[in-house]
Amino acid sequence: MVRLNRRLLPIKAHFFFFMAAMGPILPQLPVIGKQIGVPPDVMGYITAALPILYVLAKPLVGFLVDYFTNLRKFIFITLILIMTLAFAGFYFLPDNAHFIPLEDGSAKWNVSVLETPRDCSPMIYSSSAFCQTTHQAKCFQGNEEFPALIVAHEAGLNLSQNLRHDNESHHLCLTQPATSEWTDASCEVRPVDSCIYGAGKFWLFVCLLCIGIVGFNVTNSISDACCFDLLGDEEQGEYGAQRVWGTIGFGATALLAGIVVNWWTTDAVKSLTPALIIMCVFSLLDLFSVSKLKLPKLGGSESIWSDVWQLVRKPPILIFLFFATMAGIIDSFIIYFMFWHLEQVAEATGYMHQIKLIEGLVVAAECLAGEVPFFFYSGKIIKKLGYVHCMSMCFFFYAVRLSLIAWIPNPWYLVGVELFFQGITYALCYTCIVAYASAVAPPGTSSTVQGLMAGMDDGLGFSIGSLIGGLMFKRLGGRESFKYFAIAAICTCVAHIVVRPTSRKRQFLPKQGYQPPTEQEIKQPPAQEMQEIR
């Protein structure tokens, strides 16, 4: 008979409701940007800048939580409330106001050219309605490629209507001279890049994204620290059994939102209103569960920053921080650009009418079938293999996963890929990082050290990965970018095996009277002075 630990029910409920609130919205953030016309490289710049904010925010808020121990619950609730309000603000993002409608911010047109286009007139650029009536295009005439502008007839500039598409006439002009005759052509059409920076909806999107993502990441880090505080030294290995409820909640609501959004709107551009409603409902339930948390009283550290500084100076800790950053680089590219790549594959293979359902199933497969077993058994796996071998294994399977994502011939294949590889990559790697942070943290500094470790993983790592990923995605496309990231993952795996961060097969927790471990002590920790993680 399984005994229910009532003391841990509130933290399980928090993980479930917190991640259930995020399931409908987090995977869709890059797609929301795509729908309002944000190009992939600009989205990369945004998501590269965001982690810099929570690299600073996580240790800072962690310090506040460690310093003001009596206000931990209040800080916790405030973070969740701010995050929820920011994401709910996406409801107020205005729709695209272009006279030329584009599905999902870009489109491929097969057009009839009534007369050979000429160079673009200066009056087009000076028009007060330039951004609303003009799109940039990359047109292909035979084997030649020409950059061009397409201007809607509503612009009122008395331009020749020399292009026909779907029984509508527009003006086509070239931004670079061409001499060949035109009849029919294919054009890749999207909003003018420079216009996005002058759009109010773009800056509203950026502000809401900044507040929401920083709030989510800081809350996630504090959640881990509070969970380890509740577990105490004797039950550290039970972290995965608590965190798994977050995975179940995330996967369930992501699938639910995918089905409801697909049913709610039949257009190619989907309304996220049902997803936002689901998020708000579960956020309210989470606030209630956090209010019931009974956090243990902790002995504070008299010199938090000094203790943490002494810790991070140790070579094994520095090496682990470096590879945690590499894991963040890989994760960020998957998180921010996998669905972008998936929608490109859907556009090319004719599955756009099913895309939100497929995306919901992908997240459900990742969470419910991929992460759940690995979170449940992560403690046993880490105890058996140790942190070193677990991290090496994660990087190897990251390489396999990225290769398969690059290969998928149609969107449905991604469901199977994520089903088998999300758990052994993200879930195991994440648990390895947070468990290691808890194991080495001096007493009274758990939130600060968790913030530092997480800041390197989904802070600095996410920043680098988003920037590089966005640039690569724009220049190379989805398939080639994922191939190069797969190569980077296998190289990281080899480097990790060669460098081999100092660690034994089993990691030990310090008792009272903590002193930062020396490199020799981490190699051979004296059993009589340490307690083994169970």
Side-chain angles (χ1 to χ4, degrees), residues 152-306:
H153 66 273
E154 289 90 346
L157 299 177
N158 295 320
L159 301 169
S160 62
Q161 305 300 298
N162 59 346
L163 178 145
R164 293 282 295 175
H165 172 70
D166 286 348
N167 298 320
E168 292 188 355
S169 297
H170 305 293
H171 175 72
L172 175 69
C173 63
L174 302 178
T175 57
Q176 291 182 6
T179 56
S180 58
E181 293 292 327
W182 287 48
T183 53
D184 295 327
S186 62
C187 297
E188 295 178 0
V189 186
R190 59 190 177 91
V192 179
D193 287 347
S194 59
C195 287
I196 193 67
Y197 300 111
K201 64 183 176 183
F202 171 76
W203 294 109
L204 178 61
F205 170 72
V206 170
C207 290
L208 294 174
L209 189 66
C210 284
I211 298 170
I213 286 289
V214 171
F216 165 73
N217 279 276
V218 174
T219 304
N220 207 25
S221 178
I222 303 301
S223 299
D224 291 333
C226 289
C227 181
F228 279 111
D229 289 343
L230 278 168
L231 291 171
D233 291 354
E234 297 298 325
E235 296 181 289
Q236 297 280 293
E238 297 299 316
Y239 165 79
Q242 318 311 313
R243 179 62 177 77
V244 72
W245 291 100
T247 289
I248 294 171
F250 192 92
T253 56
L255 177 59
L256 174 64
I259 294 171
V260 174
V261 168
N262 214 59
W263 167 78
W264 185 274
T265 50
T266 56
D267 298 332
V269 179
K270 303 293 185 181
S271 169
L272 289 174
T273 301
L276 295 174
I277 293 173
I278 294 171
M279 179 202 69
C280 290
V281 169
F282 279 96
S283 286
L284 289 174
L285 292 171
D286 185 34
L287 288 171
F288 176 77
S289 68
V290 171
S291 70
K292 299 299 180 182
L293 273 177
K294 294 181 179 180
L295 298 174
K297 292 184 178 180
L298 300 175
S301 170
E302 295 181 0
S303 52
I304 295 173
W305 291 117
S306 176

Side-chain angles (χ1 to χ4, degrees), residues 130-453:
F130 174 76
C131 289
Q132 289 73 36
T133 59
T134 309
H135 282 301
Q136 64 187 45
K138 185 163 58 176
C139 293
F140 301 90
Q141 174 73 8
N143 294 325
E144 294 185 87
E145 175 184 322
F146 301 97
L149 293 179
I150 296 177
V151 186
H153 66 273
E154 289 90 346
L157 299 177
N158 295 320
L159 301 169
S160 62
Q161 305 300 298
N162 59 346
L163 178 145
R164 293 282 295 175
H165 172 70
D166 286 348
N167 298 320
E168 292 188 355
S169 297
H170 305 293
H171 175 72
L172 175 69
C173 63
L174 302 178
T175 57
Q176 291 182 6
T179 56
S180 58
E181 293 292 327
W182 287 48
T183 53
D184 295 327
S186 62
C187 297
E188 295 178 0
V189 186
R190 59 190 177 91
V192 179
D193 287 347
S194 59
C195 287
I196 193 67
Y197 300 111
K201 64 183 176 183
F202 171 76
W203 294 109
L204 178 61
F205 170 72
V206 170
C207 290
L208 294 174
L209 189 66
C210 284
I211 298 170
I213 286 289
V214 171
F216 165 73
N217 279 276
V218 174
T219 304
N220 207 25
S221 178
I222 303 301
S223 299
D224 291 333
C226 289
C227 181
F228 279 111
D229 289 343
L230 278 168
L231 291 171
D233 291 354
E234 297 298 325
E235 296 181 289
Q236 297 280 293
E238 297 299 316
Y239 165 79
Q242 318 311 313
R243 179 62 177 77
V244 72
W245 291 100
T247 289
I248 294 171
F250 192 92
T253 56
L255 177 59
L256 174 64
I259 294 171
V260 174
V261 168
N262 214 59
W263 167 78
W264 185 274
T265 50
T266 56
D267 298 332
V269 179
K270 303 293 185 181
S271 169
L272 289 174
T273 301
L276 295 174
I277 293 173
I278 294 171
M279 179 202 69
C280 290
V281 169
F282 279 96
S283 286
L284 289 174
L285 292 171
D286 185 34
L287 288 171
F288 176 77
S289 68
V290 171
S291 70
K292 299 299 180 182
L293 273 177
K294 294 181 179 180
L295 298 174
K297 292 184 178 180
L298 300 175
S301 170
E302 295 181 0
S303 52
I304 295 173
W305 291 117
S306 176
D307 287 348
V308 173
W309 173 246
Q310 291 299 319
L311 177 70
V312 299
R313 289 174 59 191
K314 302 298 177 182
I317 307 297
L318 286 174
I319 293 172
F320 194 88
L321 285 172
F322 171 78
F323 283 103
T325 304
M326 291 302 300
I329 291 172
I330 296 169
D331 266 331
S332 69
F333 183 68
I334 295 173
I335 289 171
Y336 289 124
F337 293 102
M338 183 177 71
F339 275 5
W340 203 312
H341 168 57
L342 183 70
E343 296 205 0
Q344 285 186 343
V345 174
E347 289 172 359
T349 54
Y351 284 91
M352 279 304 293
H353 63 291
Q354 299 176 329
I355 190 61
K356 294 305 173 188
L357 174 62
I358 296 172
E359 289 172 352
L361 289 171
V362 166
V363 177
E366 287 178 339
C367 298
L368 302 180
E371 293 180 14
V372 166
F374 277 91
F375 273 127
F376 262 123
Y377 295 106
S378 58
K380 294 181 179 179
I381 295 172
I382 293 171
K383 182 179 178 181
K384 182 71 175 176
L385 299 179
Y387 297 111
V388 174
H389 298 307
C390 277
M391 289 290 282
S392 297
M393 183 172 67
C394 289
F395 285 125
F396 172 78
F397 283 106
Y398 266 125
V400 177
R401 180 183 175 190
L402 288 160
S403 299
L404 291 174
I405 294 173
W407 161 79
I408 56 168
N410 75 58
W412 284 102
Y413 280 77
L414 188 63
V415 178
V417 173
E418 295 302 284
L419 174 71
F420 288 105
F421 290 99
Q422 171 77 355
I424 203 168
T425 53
Y426 171 77
L428 185 58
C429 187
Y430 180 86
T431 304
C432 192
I433 291 170
V434 297
Y436 186 82
S438 177
V440 300
T445 67
S446 60
S447 294
T448 309
V449 175
Q450 286 290 353
L452 177 64
M453 287 285 186

